[in-house]
Each structure stands twice: as structure tokens, then as C-alpha cells.
Amino acid sequence: MNGIRLLLADDEPHIIQFLELGLLNEGFDIRTAEDGAAALQLAKEFQPHVLILDVMMPEMNGFEVCQAVKDTGANVAVIMLTAKDEIEDRVKGLTLGADDYVVKPFSFEELLARIKARLRNQFPSLLGEATYGPFRVNDIKKELIYQDQTLELSPTEYELLKYIVLNNGIVLSKAQILDSVWGYRFGGEDNIVEVYIRSLRDKLGDKEHRLIRTLRGVGYRMDLS
């Protein structure tokens, strides 16, 4: 999600911390706010592509922020977060210009899917091809090109390689990889990450493990240097 600006506003710090970590791992450029007034000011300065608003916030509620932002004519995808599963709230938010609605509690995967859906609808060019060293990632076509050759990857291999490429230089533990690629409820074999890493190394010709490095007892790191 390189270059995609996202503003997250919620008055519950633990929700902000949880979502911020996950969205940073997805490659978003993120700013956060814990009240509506701060969110509105940041929206003017940061000009996000996606604005995620909790309905119940101090200073200004999410409805008021949504209306104020939309009144400026800004091209921004607004997703409302609420603890209320009431049709009146959904109708009110959509009437004020919100583009989608997510009811708490929700999974990170659900929110991410809704963000991507809004981006495909409003900013399709942002989900195009991005370059990382010798890799080109096209998330629309689900293609990874390495040294000008399109890699033949399974859907899981694609998500795994994309994840470690986007986190170039960062040591990723097996637990982090399982959470991000397979999901928090993964119940398969413990060595699944090693199996897929081995397959990716074969397809990349990385026999000496110079591209995908193993840090024993710690995890893996993509080295594009």
C-alpha cells in the first residue's frame, strides 16, 4: 500500500494501537487522532485517501467530522466505526457522505478488505504497480515480478513474498508471518512458514539465502541491499 495515506480517528487508545500496527505492516502512511477536532485538523493537513472515523468521539463526533470533510469537496473514502448495530446510525452516516460502515467488534481482516474495496472504487491507480529494489508488486493483478520475470506463485506464496518484500530490512518472526499471511486463527503445521520460504527461495534462485535471510531462533529478513 505504498503511498496511500490513511487517517485513523478513535478515542480508544488500544484500538488505535492495534489497527495502527496492522495497517503499518500493510504499508499505509498513517496518522492518528483521539478526538474529532484533531481528526478534522489532520484531515486538512494530511489529505488522506482513507479516513476511518469512530462515531463516538469527544470534541466532535464522527458524523460531524465526516460532514465537515465531505463539505470541503475532498476526494476521500470515509469508513465509519461504531459500537451500535443500528440502521438509523448507518443511514445517518451514509447520508452525510460516509462510504462504508463497520460495526464493533470487527476483525482486522474485515476492515482491511473494506479499505481495499474503497480504494479500488475511488483510487484504483494507487493499487497498481510499486517497485521495491529488483521486485515489482502489482496488487491488482496479484503479480510479483523479480528481475523482469513474472514469478509463478500460489496465492499464499504471493501474499508471503509481498509481505516480506514490503518489510524489507525488518526481521519478521514466524508468529508475525503466520498472523499476517495465514491469519490469527491458523491451525496448521508449525513448519508451514519454513516450507513456503523454501519454495520461494527455489523460485527466486536464492540458493545461498542472500535475499531471504534466516536469523536462527528469531525469524526472516528480506535483504534488498
Side-chain angles (χ1 to χ4, degrees):
M1 299 296 172
N2 192 38
I4 298 176
R5 298 184 299 276
L6 187 149
L7 173 56
L8 169 63
D10 196 300
D11 64 341
E12 298 184 60
H14 69 281
I15 290 180
I16 285 206
Q17 291 169 8
F18 167 69
L19 293 180
E20 184 178 19
L21 178 60
L23 293 167
L24 283 171
N25 283 337
E26 291 292 328
F28 289 98
D29 183 5
I30 296 187
R31 300 292 185 276
T32 63
E34 294 188 9
D35 65 68
L40 182 57
Q41 184 61 36
L42 269 174
K44 294 175 181 177
E45 299 170 356
F46 186 47
Q47 297 185 346
H49 299 101
V50 181
L51 174 56
I52 300 175
L53 291 171
D54 182 37
V55 169
M56 301 304 294
M57 290 188 293
E59 303 296 334
M60 296 175 69
N61 64 41
F63 295 133
E64 293 170 327
V65 177
C66 175
Q67 184 173 29
V69 169
K70 288 293 186 174
D71 284 349
T72 67
N75 183 19
V76 55
V78 177
I79 300 175
M80 307 293 293
L81 305 179
T82 181
K84 297 179 180 179
D85 190 9
E86 297 180 1
I87 197 68
E88 292 84 1
D89 279 350
R90 296 189 185 195
V91 170
K92 183 176 181 179
L94 295 172
T95 301
L96 293 173
D99 300 286
D100 206 347
Y101 223 99
V102 180
V103 178
K104 297 177 181 178
F106 54 86
S107 70
F108 177 76
E109 290 79 6
E110 177 189 2
L111 179 62
L112 182 61
R114 289 176 183 266
I115 291 170
K116 289 182 177 179
R118 297 317 313 165
L119 288 170
R120 282 193 296 269
N121 183 269
Q122 291 179 241
F123 304 99
S125 63
L126 293 176
L127 296 178
E129 197 168 275
T131 300
Y132 304 88
F135 290 95
R136 300 205 307 274
V137 181
N138 190 315
D139 213 34
I140 294 178
K141 297 181 179 179
K142 299 298 180 184
E143 285 184 350
L144 261 160
I145 300 166
Y146 176 62
Q147 295 181 338
D148 296 324
Q149 297 294 318
T150 301
L151 299 169
E152 295 295 329
L153 303 172
S154 70
T156 301
E157 286 175 333
Y158 170 82
E159 293 298 334
L160 174 57
L161 185 54
K162 181 183 76 170
Y163 178 61
I164 59 179
V165 166
L166 266 58
N167 286 280
N168 169 47
I170 299 173
V171 178
L172 302 170
S173 69
K174 185 168 69 173
Q176 286 176 301
I177 293 172
L178 285 171
D179 285 348
S180 297
V181 179
W182 277 269
Y184 293 97
R185 299 174 185 85
F186 175 75
E189 298 294 330
D190 289 342
N191 68 339
I192 192 70
V193 175
E194 290 90 336
V195 171
Y196 272 82
I197 291 289
R198 189 182 309 123
S199 175
L200 289 178
R201 283 170 170 158
D202 288 343
K203 293 184 177 184
L204 293 168
D206 188 22
K207 295 180 180 179
E208 297 182 0
H209 304 180
R210 291 182 176 176
L211 195 58
I212 303 176
R213 297 186 177 273
T214 300
L215 285 80
R216 295 196 178 280
V218 181
Y220 300 93
R221 185 186 72 225
M222 174 63 74
D223 187 355
L224 300 184
S225 61

